[in-house]
Amino acid sequence: MADVYLKALGAAREVGRSAILLGVEGKLILLDYGVSIEGEEPQFPLPVPPKGIHAVAISHAHLDHSGAAPLLYVSGQPPLISTPLTATLSDLLIKDFMKLSKYYIPYEAPEVEKMLESLVPLGYGESYDIGSVTIRVLDAGHIPGSAMIQIETPSLNVLYTGDYSLHDTCLLRGAGISEFSKADVVIMESTYAEYDHPPREEVEREFVKTVLEVVEDGGIAFIPAFAVGRAQEILCVLAKYDLQVPIYVDGMARTANDLIAEDSHLLREPSLFKKAVEMSTKVKDWDHRKKILSKPGVIISPAGMLQGGPSEYYMEKIMENEKNAVIFVSYVIPETPARQVIETGIYASPTKRGPVKARIEWFDFSAHCGHSELVKTLDSAKKGSKVVLVHGEEEAAVKLAELSVKAGHETFVPRLGEELNLKV
């Protein structure tokens, strides 16, 4: 019999600001420490205990999992466990977040540097020991460098999924499922607990067909995309179908491409990513931006929600021409300009507002598990294991919990700040 202490500091009956405090064998390990940027101002997780933590493990670079981590280095210096690529991409995204945020961020550049100095870089399958506790990272199939975190002691096995996906994409292999059958406690996301993604090949074909229709008709296919993960996936899809049209990449996606290329062995087909990058052109500066808008082509640029980055400029320029298209390829967050475009056909930026005459499309290129994959995960987990559902809206997570119980697991959907003392 082993004791497991767990406290939900974030991502509790909500999506975003993931932060799970785990206590095993007298050690406190923080699983992610993210920030939510969906509302008017950033929402940070609950604070860690005053005595501090023994280690922090970051599953992947997206801000809702990494964006609050520098706070841990204001007055401490715990080991930071992640893949090397997650560390470099987190640095990129966090510094951009600091630069663009209109609100006070409770850390500065020295804390980010101190965080990176504390890195314990682990490749997939590699581990780090803290006393009798072993922390291992496993491929999560979500974005380049993403990892599931496994915590083991001589008598206990805990698996934290972070964001994960079981299906292959053009960019990545799906995560393996074998480790779930060994875990005594599974802490898993429930983002799409009520929704199945359409078949990826079908989505790719419809997406490519749309892009070609727009460009061959003399228009610009503008694709606002997350700089890390989604921009690279879209480039790989265009390369897979060998589109012979001008393709431009702008904003932070340019740097992300360079960083990911340095660790291309993590990708499903490094040669396809190399081809994708070579098929595309980096946008150099403002003059170049103006120039590429004068002829048909494809423009991939952050920010995916049309908030900040060059995407605001491109949207303002392409929105009034019916030959153009804005093509969304990510989940569209409520109360963002992107969501408003989809729901109302109106675009509003700090400098422009009006109806979008360009074609508006959305394609589901999700890198999360859908409902069926989450159920498959529960079915493969060890019978009698404890399951803790996080990173999902309350209604969806509670419904998935009912299926988890039917699959033979004692299941918890913690509220923010709730503490669980599990015996396994």
Side-chain angles (χ1 to χ4, degrees), residues 181-378:
S181 64
K182 305 172 188 176
D184 303 296
V185 178
V186 177
I187 307 165
M188 64 182 277
E189 67 145 315
S190 54
T191 316
Y192 288 99
E194 295 187 289
Y195 176 75
D196 262 325
H197 306 297
R200 183 54 67 108
E201 290 279 343
E202 182 183 302
V203 174
E204 289 175 5
R205 284 194 300 271
E206 286 300 312
F207 166 74
V208 168
K209 179 178 171 225
T210 299
V211 170
L212 278 174
E213 285 174 358
V214 172
V215 177
E216 288 175 355
D217 191 38
I220 293 169
F222 167 49
I223 306 169
F226 295 133
V228 173
R230 198 54 44 85
Q232 293 75 37
E233 171 71 10
I234 294 305
L235 280 171
C236 285
V237 171
L238 297 175
K240 174 182 173 181
Y241 288 85
D242 205 27
L243 261 68
Q244 298 300 309
V245 300
I247 301 169
Y248 301 97
V249 180
D250 204 346
M252 202 164 45
R254 298 169 297 184
T255 308
N257 283 354
D258 294 340
L259 294 173
I260 290 166
E262 293 175 12
D263 276 311
S264 64
H265 65 282
L266 300 174
L267 308 180
R268 182 184 174 192
E269 280 188 68
S271 60
L272 180 64
F273 182 65
K274 185 172 185 289
K275 175 185 174 183
V277 172
E278 289 173 350
M279 282 175 59
S280 63
T281 301
K282 284 185 182 179
V283 179
K284 300 182 186 69
D285 51 32
W286 282 106
D287 285 341
H288 196 190
R289 285 186 184 118
K290 293 171 186 173
K291 186 177 178 182
I292 66 175
L293 285 166
S294 65
K295 58 184 179 179
V298 179
I299 301 173
I300 302 168
S301 177
M305 297 301 106
L306 299 177
Q307 285 179 310
S311 69
E312 286 185 356
Y313 170 76
Y314 289 122
M315 188 63 187
E316 290 179 5
K317 296 300 183 184
I318 68 104
M319 62 186 277
E320 292 174 352
N321 188 334
E322 293 177 2
K323 286 192 171 186
N324 297 333
V326 53
I327 304 173
F328 297 101
V329 290
S330 306
Y331 169 72
V332 184
I333 297 169
E335 298 179 17
T336 61
R339 185 66 164 255
Q340 186 179 24
V341 168
I342 288 176
E343 292 181 346
T344 70
I346 302 293
Y347 174 63
S349 75
T351 55
K352 186 168 184 173
R353 177 185 175 87
V356 178
K357 296 176 184 175
R359 181 172 171 179
I360 301 168
E361 298 283 355
W362 177 81
F363 292 94
D364 183 356
F365 279 98
S366 177
H368 288 263
C369 284
H371 170 81
S372 296
E373 291 177 315
L374 294 170
V375 171
K376 181 181 179 182
T377 300
L378 293 170

Side-chain angles (χ1 to χ4, degrees), residues 98-172:
M98 292 169 64
K99 182 173 70 176
L100 294 180
S101 180
K102 300 168 187 172
Y103 296 90
Y104 170 70
I105 305 299
Y107 56 76
E108 296 180 349
E111 285 74 52
V112 181
E113 296 309 314
K114 193 174 173 186
M115 177 184 84
L116 295 171
E117 289 168 5
S118 306
L119 176 66
V120 178
L122 297 181
Y124 294 140
E126 294 179 350
S127 61
Y128 174 73
D129 292 338
I130 305 174
S132 61
V133 179
T134 298
I135 303 173
R136 183 176 290 105
V137 300
L138 308 167
D139 191 350
H142 176 60
I143 65 169
S146 62
M148 295 190 283
I149 313 296
Q150 188 178 56
I151 300 97
E152 288 186 293
T153 73
S155 59
L156 180 69
N157 183 314
V158 178
L159 185 64
Y160 170 63
T161 67
D163 293 350
Y164 75 113
S165 173
L166 301 184
H167 58 269
D168 290 346
T169 67
C170 283
L171 188 64
L172 297 173

Side-chain angles (χ1 to χ4, degrees), residues 44-98:
F44 288 83
L46 299 181
V48 298
K51 291 183 180 178
I53 54 175
H54 296 91
V56 55
I58 301 295
S59 66
H60 68 283
H62 282 157
L63 287 174
D64 62 332
H65 293 257
S66 71
L71 273 172
L72 307 168
Y73 297 86
V74 172
S75 58
Q77 196 157 1
L80 176 77
I81 298 163
S82 79
T83 65
L85 184 54
T86 287
T88 56
L89 291 173
S90 295
D91 181 40
L92 175 70
L93 292 175
I94 289 169
K95 285 177 178 173
D96 183 70
F97 169 54
M98 292 169 64

